[in-house]
Amino acid sequence: MTDRAKIKDIARRAGVSTATVSRALSDSSLVAEATRERIRDAARTLDYRPNVAARNLRMQRSMSVLLVVRDVCNPFYLDIFKGVEAAARAAGYSVLMGNTENDPDRAREYFDMLRDGHADGMILMTGMLPQDYEQILGGSKARPIVVALELIESSDLPNVHIDNRAAAYRAVKHLIDLGHQRIAHISGPMPEFMSSRRREGYLAAMADAGLPVPAAYDLTGDYSLRTGRELCRQLFSYRDRPTALFLANDEMAFGAINELRQLGFTVPDDVSVVGFDDIFLSEAFYPPLTTVSQPREEIGRRAMEMLLALLGGNDAAPSSVELPTCLKVRASTGPVPGR
Amino acid sequence: MTDRAKIKDIARRAGVSTATVSRALSDSSLVAEATRERIRDAARTLDYRPNVAARNLRMQRSMSVLLVVRDVCNPFYLDIFKGVEAAARAAGYSVLMGNTENDPDRAREYFDMLRDGHADGMILMTGMLPQDYEQILGGSKARPIVVALELIESSDLPNVHIDNRAAAYRAVKHLIDLGHQRIAHISGPMPEFMSSRRREGYLAAMADAGLPVPAAYDLTGDYSLRTGRELCRQLFSYRDRPTALFLANDEMAFGAINELRQLGFTVPDDVSVVGFDDIFLSEAFYPPLTTVSQPREEIGRRAMEMLLALLGGNDAAPSSVELPTCLKVRASTGPVPGR
DNA sequence: ATGAAAGCGCTAACAG
DNA sequence: CTGTTAGCGCTTTCAT
């Protein structure tokens, strides 16, 4: 860790030039088998490890990628981390964590890191481009950037995502099929892509079933436990209470269920609740949450694989991947009361 | 992102040498104000960003640190990530994610990355040293490594942790104070530091209260929901059922509560349950879980700060920090039934 | 199949 | 205050 043997040392020890060492160590075919063995031995006994800074400078690449999320504390990302990390590792890349906390300035820092050569590519899960990058990235292909989970409307960056609208539709349809007619929705933060799509799915399902959506049933939250609770309380202070709730994520669903319990309602006997994401503990929760499950680890893996393809100059790589979701029907939904 | 202005370009444009540019850009005091301005302008108009690979090579440091955990998918780490990331960012460092999946070989890879110069330091939350590093790191101070959460017995590496034993003692004491006498424990994987300490706390509290711990009450799990469920089921198949459970982490506690519900027991009326960690959702769970809360974000922050001190050659830095925990008494614990 | 030499882009003596 | 110069450790022409 301190004295680091360098390529020169090996060269001397093996009685060859540094060039040959470099070639031998990278399995170049133009090194005699005998020499190669000698060099390997020398490297082993000197416990040689190539200096990555030097290699990076010379090769003009860093072998790291940036994984940028809105909020590292969101448990939703865990499996995605895993998928990304696994795919990256398999290809010899390291993963740098980026956390924007929804701050565009912080997002810009990560784009700058890309320019600095700090990372070779980036997986973006923030749904936004910093102002000054919008034009730069807007129309161009082959930027080493993959967007995951979200979609950035102003760009045609390669992306991997799910059909939020269809999945939400399906979730609401499930409630409708159970006989529910008064179904309320609490969405994510509102001018955002993911929240909008999920809400669209809700509205479409309601419309297709000929069910009304009073303004009071169409609420805007922010994916937090807190708004799940508060908006649920608000919802149940009206005369025309809903019999079912569709929340744009599980965390809000947990908040809502908590609040309902506090208000004296039973889930699902009095009120059915559907979430979205199927995060850790959604199944262990009481009652086990009916929710939309998405292949998070695969989203991570695919995103990283697309990025690797981009970095490898593979143009044949698909520029947009849509992964399937699955409605997990569990115990938080049931038939409409009084039927 | 493609054409990258270099220091030479600025030098030419500002009519100075590259050395002066370098100095000006790093706010060296020995540059005339006028020159500095000229250089700054040039850098701005050329949209210059220093190449980190070159800088790293020259400076022999990478400005990144490695954060190595047992399992990225564990929600427990989330706030720690945040603390580490924030402290690192504040100091201009990036954080590389390392995931060992409890595999010593993978752990070794990360140690190698340190030698490679891939990272300048490392925060280790795996509780183990790869075989071949044990001697190397064993006795030495001032290695750029900080151990968090765990303690590595064979070394005196700087560390930040909590008093697992005392916290567990306190949790079990809480149950005893409620009148419970038949208290069982499900520990984490067993020859491990953290699990052992928590179990010791349990055993000590029981011993101090003169309560017996039949072998059947002293179970070994693995921190997973699944073992929480299974061992709980096993526990309640005995004649002498416990009236309270102390689980070594929240996840197992959730599993146990689930199982109890399935077996027809009510928490806390029939059985009280205490967890450990106070992870995301422990409060939103039903019933809200009584558990030991540890300052996770601070653990991350402190660990990073210690690492920065080490990297800065600050010998005055404390080599061991113990952070306080807090027993959160919530609704999963209550008086012993029939009292 | 191997070696000599150039150079990736930057910083830091050293010399003025 | 500023310029010249010498590398950091590696890979890769270009010769041989």
Side-chain angles (χ1 to χ4, degrees):
Chain A
M1 222 131 124
T2 142
D3 39 349
R4 320 288 6 266
K6 37 184 96 170
I7 216 169
K8 214 169 166 183
D9 301 323
I10 303 188
R12 188 165 23 214
R13 196 165 216 281
V16 293
S17 74
T18 61
T20 307
V21 174
S22 174
R23 280 191 280 254
L25 261 25
S26 56
D27 287 315
S28 158
S29 55
L30 13 67
V31 178
E33 193 50 47
T35 334
R36 184 197 310 281
E37 262 320 310
R38 208 147 27 88
I39 291 173
R40 285 235 179 90
D41 280 349
R44 205 156 345 176
T45 58
L46 292 180
D47 196 21
Y48 170 76
R49 300 227 96 213
N51 175 308
V52 303
R55 173 179 285 171
N56 288 351
L57 175 57
R58 175 65 223 232
M59 311 274 278
Q60 307 276 46
R61 54 143 191 55
S62 65
M63 294 302 276
S64 337
V65 299
L66 221 36
L67 178 54
V68 184
V69 302
R70 288 172 188 275
D71 171 20
V72 260
C73 284
N74 192 330
F76 176 80
Y77 293 121
L78 288 171
D79 295 295
I80 298 191
F81 287 165
K82 185 174 193 170
V84 170
E85 203 269 343
R89 229 177 65 87
Y93 279 80
S94 314
V95 181
L96 284 160
M97 292 205 327
N99 187 24
T100 66
E101 318 229 332
N102 275 322
D103 176 349
D105 284 344
R106 295 199 41 181
R108 193 208 276 92
E109 288 178 30
Y110 295 110
F111 279 82
D112 286 341
M113 286 177 68
L114 220 51
R115 302 202 316 152
D116 295 346
H118 220 109
D120 297 335
M122 146 156 103
I123 295 176
L124 209 57
M125 313 210 273
T126 58
M128 52 169 118
L129 252 30
Q131 269 282 288
D132 31 344
Y133 278 91
E134 291 209 343
Q135 308 156 349
I136 309 176
L137 296 174
S140 70
K141 273 227 175 344
R143 295 289 171 184
I145 300 178
V146 172
V147 177
L149 298 179
E150 316 258 358
L151 229 48
I152 297 178
E153 317 271 13
S154 62
S155 82
D156 59 351
L157 290 168
N159 56 80
V160 32
H161 57 96
I162 57 164
D163 189 339
N164 284 284
R165 192 179 178 289
Y169 187 101
R170 183 115 182 278
V172 175
K173 183 69 164 44
H174 162 66
L175 292 169
I176 293 170
D177 289 345
L178 286 167
H180 294 276
Q181 306 206 339
R182 298 205 306 280
I183 304 172
H185 175 56
I186 301 181
S187 76
M190 223 23 197
E192 284 181 17
F193 172 77
M194 190 187 288
S195 319
S196 311
R197 289 305 173 89
R198 293 181 183 178
R199 175 166 170 270
E200 283 168 30
Y202 158 73
L203 293 175
M206 295 297 276
D208 285 359
L211 297 173
V213 176
Y217 278 19
D218 183 14
L219 266 25
T220 304
D222 64 1
Y223 288 135
S224 74
L225 210 60
R226 195 180 52 78
T227 57
R229 274 196 244 260
E230 289 172 1
L231 295 176
C232 176
R233 166 173 296 265
Q234 179 179 323
L235 215 36
F236 281 77
S237 66
Y238 294 130
R239 196 186 336 269
D240 275 332
R241 289 173 186 146
T243 61
L245 259 41
F246 169 54
L247 294 297
N249 76 342
D250 287 356
E251 202 169 332
M252 291 196 294
F254 296 142
I257 291 177
N258 261 280
E259 192 65 30
L260 287 169
R261 188 176 288 123
Q262 211 146 94
L263 293 171
F265 295 99
T266 303
V267 177
D269 297 344
D270 301 318
V271 184
S272 284
V273 176
V274 178
F276 203 116
D277 284 348
D278 195 24
I279 63 174
F280 174 76
L281 288 190
S282 295
E283 182 163 15
F285 202 79
Y286 184 75
L289 188 68
T290 294
T291 187
V292 175
S293 174
Q294 36 178 324
R296 288 197 297 275
E297 190 171 339
E298 187 177 1
I299 290 175
R301 190 168 50 70
R302 292 293 281 273
M304 187 64 213
E305 284 168 357
M306 286 176 71
L307 185 53
L308 288 168
L310 242 44
L311 291 173
N314 184 349
D315 292 328
S319 70
S320 182
V321 171
E322 189 168 283
L323 262 20
T325 58
C326 155
L327 180 68
K328 299 266 188 197
V329 177
R330 298 201 272 244
S332 69
T333 48
V336 64
R339 238 193 33 169
Chain B
M1 223 130 121
T2 144
D3 37 351
R4 320 286 9 261
K6 37 185 95 168
I7 218 169
K8 212 168 169 184
D9 302 323
I10 304 188
R12 189 165 23 214
R13 196 166 218 278
V16 293
S17 76
T18 60
T20 307
V21 173
S22 175
R23 282 191 279 255
L25 261 23
S26 56
D27 286 315
S28 158
S29 55
L30 14 67
V31 178
E33 193 50 49
T35 333
R36 183 196 310 282
E37 261 320 310
R38 206 145 33 86
I39 290 172
R40 285 235 179 89
D41 280 350
R44 204 156 345 177
T45 57
L46 291 180
D47 196 21
Y48 171 76
R49 301 228 94 211
N51 176 309
V52 304
R55 173 180 284 171
N56 288 351
L57 175 57
R58 177 63 226 235
M59 311 272 278
Q60 306 276 47
R61 53 140 191 59
S62 65
M63 294 303 278
S64 339
V65 299
L66 221 34
L67 179 54
V68 184
V69 302
R70 287 173 188 275
D71 170 21
V72 260
C73 284
N74 192 330
F76 176 80
Y77 293 122
L78 288 172
D79 295 295
I80 298 191
F81 288 165
K82 186 175 192 171
V84 170
E85 202 270 343
R89 229 177 64 85
Y93 279 79
S94 313
V95 180
L96 284 161
M97 293 205 326
N99 188 24
T100 66
E101 318 228 333
N102 275 321
D103 176 349
D105 284 343
R106 295 201 38 182
R108 192 208 277 92
E109 287 179 31
Y110 295 110
F111 279 83
D112 286 341
M113 287 177 67
L114 220 53
R115 302 201 317 152
D116 296 346
H118 221 110
D120 297 335
M122 142 157 108
I123 295 176
L124 209 57
M125 313 209 272
T126 57
M128 53 168 118
L129 252 30
Q131 269 283 285
D132 31 344
Y133 278 92
E134 291 208 344
Q135 308 157 349
I136 310 176
L137 296 173
S140 70
K141 274 225 174 343
R143 294 292 169 181
I145 300 178
V146 172
V147 177
L149 299 179
E150 315 258 358
L151 228 48
I152 297 179
E153 317 272 12
S154 62
S155 82
D156 58 350
L157 290 168
N159 56 79
V160 32
H161 57 96
I162 58 166
D163 188 339
N164 284 284
R165 193 178 177 289
Y169 186 100
R170 181 114 185 280
V172 175
K173 184 70 166 48
H174 161 67
L175 291 169
I176 293 170
D177 290 346
L178 285 167
H180 293 277
Q181 306 205 339
R182 298 205 307 280
I183 305 172
H185 175 57
I186 300 180
S187 75
M190 222 24 195
E192 284 181 15
F193 172 77
M194 189 187 288
S195 319
S196 310
R197 291 304 173 92
R198 293 181 184 177
R199 175 164 170 271
E200 283 168 29
Y202 158 73
L203 293 175
M206 294 298 275
D208 286 359
L211 297 173
V213 176
Y217 278 20
D218 182 15
L219 266 24
T220 305
D222 64 0
Y223 290 135
S224 74
L225 210 58
R226 195 178 53 78
T227 57
R229 273 197 245 260
E230 290 174 1
L231 294 176
C232 176
R233 165 174 296 265
Q234 179 180 323
L235 215 36
F236 280 78
S237 67
Y238 294 129
R239 197 189 333 268
D240 275 332
R241 288 173 187 147
T243 62
L245 259 41
F246 169 54
L247 295 295
N249 78 342
D250 287 355
E251 203 168 330
M252 290 195 295
F254 296 142
I257 291 177
N258 261 278
E259 192 65 30
L260 286 169
R261 188 176 288 123
Q262 211 145 94
L263 294 172
F265 296 99
T266 303
V267 176
D269 297 344
D270 301 319
V271 184
S272 285
V273 176
V274 178
F276 202 116
D277 285 348
D278 195 23
I279 62 174
F280 174 76
L281 288 191
S282 294
E283 182 162 15
F285 201 79
Y286 183 74
L289 189 68
T290 294
T291 188
V292 175
S293 174
Q294 36 179 324
R296 288 197 296 276
E297 189 170 340
E298 188 179 359
I299 291 174
R301 192 167 49 69
R302 292 293 282 273
M304 188 64 213
E305 285 167 358
M306 287 176 70
L307 185 54
L308 288 169
L310 244 43
L311 292 173
N314 185 349
D315 290 329
S319 71
S320 183
V321 171
E322 188 168 283
L323 262 20
T325 59
C326 153
L327 181 68
K328 301 265 188 198
V329 177
R330 298 202 273 244
S332 68
T333 48
V336 63
R339 239 193 32 169

